[in-house]
Amino acid sequence: MGAPMNTKNTRVGPLASASGAPATAPLDIDALLDNPNTGIIVCCGSGGVGKTTTSASLALRAAERGRKVVVLTIDPARRLAQSMGIEALDNTPRPVLGITEGAGSLDAMMLDMKRTFDEVVESQATPEKAKQILDNPFYVALSSSFAGTQEYMAMEKLGQLHRDARKSGEYDLIVVDTPPSRSALDFLDAPERLSSFLDGKFIRLLLAPARGPARLMTAGMGVVTSALTKILGATVLTDLQMFVTAFDTLFGGFRQRAQKTYELLQADGTAFLVVAAPEPDALREAAYFVERLSGENMPLAGLVVNRASAAPESDLSADEAMAAAERLRRKGATGEVPAGLLRLHADRMRMVSRQSLLRERFSAAHPGVPTTVVPALSTDVHDLDGLRTVGDLLAGDQRPG
């Protein structure tokens, strides 16, 4: 997927904004997409800020500029499939039809957490051992709903895609859409959390009978087993012991693969984009993401601020508009339309000012993070043309229609 790109050294020092507060350099989306050394783009941010649409738009734009792209979503909203004209996404990349212009290609897929877990087990174990694990009730519960499993499997699927792409050359760019809220960065902790569970004292205790001769079983172990049987039930405890015993032979492979994927996320060929909305809560979450990524030594490419209000094409300030509306009221002008439009104009100008101030505060706290601002659209994105429009706006090519 190309040589590493040093995205860590692409930050630009703070500039001065019109208000005197620090301003950051613009985020050059097309330069990021066109650079053949960019192998992975991870979009993260809080819920409801447009990560899925941003991911799909970036993937489509890259494909139409000649890249061979696969976009992986683990967002449960499933809007990606609708926008790309695919009836349903699953764990297998599906081609997106209607790609134009460049000689690239685009596939889309949605993470199937359990299927990915099953694939890892099947690849790491003998057929007999794999069947024993896959049929185990405790494994079924773990692979479907255990806290952290989704994030762990997202890392696993990313690692699989990257390994396959290096071998086959089928893809040269992977775009990853992450879960909403702070769980979007849980994949940084997931390998250690899952490994700690599987390597914890409780699991080691359950493995003791299988690892040593019966004479080593102490009275204390018998008491613990008896207590667990009363709490969990004999069947559940037996299922758990059988699962842990079978899974123990795979544990080292899981931990090693997770570590390789973590290192892949830190590599220079990876670029993280933090996606936010021009709202206090969303930008606070964005600040958390930026700080966390920096603390984990992850390559941050920049910030995308979605759905920003565009200033009206008028030099009339909010105060001037309100004053004019008040003059009309005092003169007893007939009809409320002119005054109402002036008040709407004033509200719009104030919103634009508030959002601009929020972005400037973010810049002041996090200077050097390149930023692009995407104006709000008048309609929802539901097809490829809509994604193209968002891609244009991400790259600063046009204003929304």
Side-chain angles (χ1 to χ4, degrees):
M1 294 177 61
M5 179 187 69
N6 192 356
T7 53
K8 296 174 188 172
N9 295 329
T10 60
R11 295 186 181 179
V12 181
L15 307 172
S17 71
S19 65
T24 54
L27 173 60
D28 192 338
I29 288 292
D30 284 345
L32 181 68
L33 299 178
D34 292 345
N35 191 324
N37 298 320
T38 305
I40 297 171
I41 296 176
V42 181
C43 295
C44 56
S46 57
V49 297
K51 289 190 311 299
T52 300
T53 301
T54 298
S55 302
S57 299
L58 290 170
L60 176 61
R61 189 172 183 85
E64 295 192 334
R65 296 174 72 88
R67 302 295 300 270
K68 295 180 289 185
V69 189
V70 58
V71 57
L72 165 66
T73 180
I74 47 180
D75 175 32
R78 300 198 178 234
R79 292 185 304 273
L80 184 64
Q82 298 170 358
S83 297
M84 293 191 163
I86 301 174
E87 290 186 4
L89 291 178
D90 54 24
N91 222 37
T92 302
R94 306 289 181 184
V96 176
L97 304 179
I99 305 301
T100 60
E101 300 178 20
S105 63
L106 175 59
D107 288 355
M109 61 186 298
M110 176 175 286
L111 177 72
D112 182 328
M113 181 174 66
K114 186 178 186 308
R115 183 58 211 151
T116 300
F117 211 147
D118 292 350
E119 289 171 357
V120 175
V121 170
E122 290 165 350
S123 69
Q124 296 285 299
T126 63
E128 295 78 11
K129 179 78 73 175
K131 186 176 188 308
Q132 183 182 0
I133 295 172
L134 297 178
D135 292 343
N136 186 279
F138 189 79
Y139 168 79
V140 173
L142 175 71
S143 60
S144 302
S145 58
F146 185 77
T149 304
Q150 183 186 50
E151 289 79 14
Y152 183 100
M153 289 305 136
M155 288 187 68
E156 176 62 37
K157 180 55 68 175
L158 173 59
Q160 287 179 7
L161 285 170
H162 182 261
R163 288 190 297 272
D164 293 345
R166 289 180 65 90
K167 291 178 182 177
S168 68
E170 185 175 5
Y171 305 117
D172 58 29
L173 177 62
I174 303 169
V175 179
V176 183
D177 170 36
T178 59
S181 191
R182 291 194 176 186
S183 64
L185 285 180
D186 280 352
F187 60 81
L188 300 179
D189 302 318
E192 185 60 33
R193 188 165 60 248
L194 190 59
S195 296
S196 296
F197 168 75
L198 295 172
D199 204 25
K201 291 181 180 179
F202 174 64
I203 299 299
R204 300 299 103 187
L205 187 66
L206 292 174
L207 273 174
R211 286 185 164 178
R215 61 184 176 81
L216 295 181
M217 288 288 290
T218 63
M221 178 63 191
V223 171
V224 171
T225 302
S226 176
L228 288 172
T229 301
K230 291 179 181 178
I231 296 171
L232 301 176
T235 302
V236 173
L237 182 60
T238 300
D239 288 339
L240 179 57
Q241 287 175 322
M242 290 179 62
F243 162 73
V244 171
T245 301
F247 196 81
D248 187 55
T249 57
L250 309 184
F251 177 71
F254 264 72
R255 193 163 196 142
Q256 183 181 33
R257 290 156 72 95
Q259 182 59 35
K260 286 183 178 178
T261 304
Y262 187 85
E263 292 170 357
L264 176 63
L265 291 174
Q266 290 181 313
D268 289 337
T270 297
F272 281 83
L273 288 176
V274 177
V275 183
E279 301 165 359
D281 290 346
L283 284 171
R284 272 196 295 271
E285 289 294 291
Y288 163 79
F289 284 112
V290 167
E291 291 159 8
R292 178 71 195 279
L293 290 168
S294 176
E296 298 284 346
N297 199 30
M298 299 289 170
L300 173 64
L303 172 72
V304 175
V305 181
N306 270 334
R307 302 169 187 163
S309 297
E313 295 182 0
S314 170
D315 294 332
L316 194 66
S317 70
D319 290 342
E320 290 169 339
M322 288 302 293
E326 179 62 17
R327 284 195 298 271
L328 287 173
R329 186 189 69 79
R330 288 178 179 176
K331 289 179 179 180
T334 58
E336 282 293 317
V337 173
L341 289 176
L342 286 167
R343 284 191 287 268
L344 285 174
H345 176 88
D347 289 342
R348 179 75 171 270
M349 292 297 292
R350 287 168 179 163
M351 181 181 294
V352 170
S353 179
R354 283 196 300 270
Q355 293 179 0
S356 178
L357 180 60
L358 287 170
R359 296 198 302 271
E360 288 181 359
R361 287 175 178 171
F362 183 94
S363 270
H366 304 90
V369 178
T371 301
T372 187
V373 179
V374 179
L377 297 175
S378 58
T379 59
D380 291 335
V381 175
H382 59 273
D383 56 19
L384 291 184
D385 285 339
L387 292 176
R388 288 188 184 100
T389 298
V390 175
D392 290 340
L393 295 171
L394 282 163
D397 283 358
Q398 65 179 57
R399 292 173 62 88

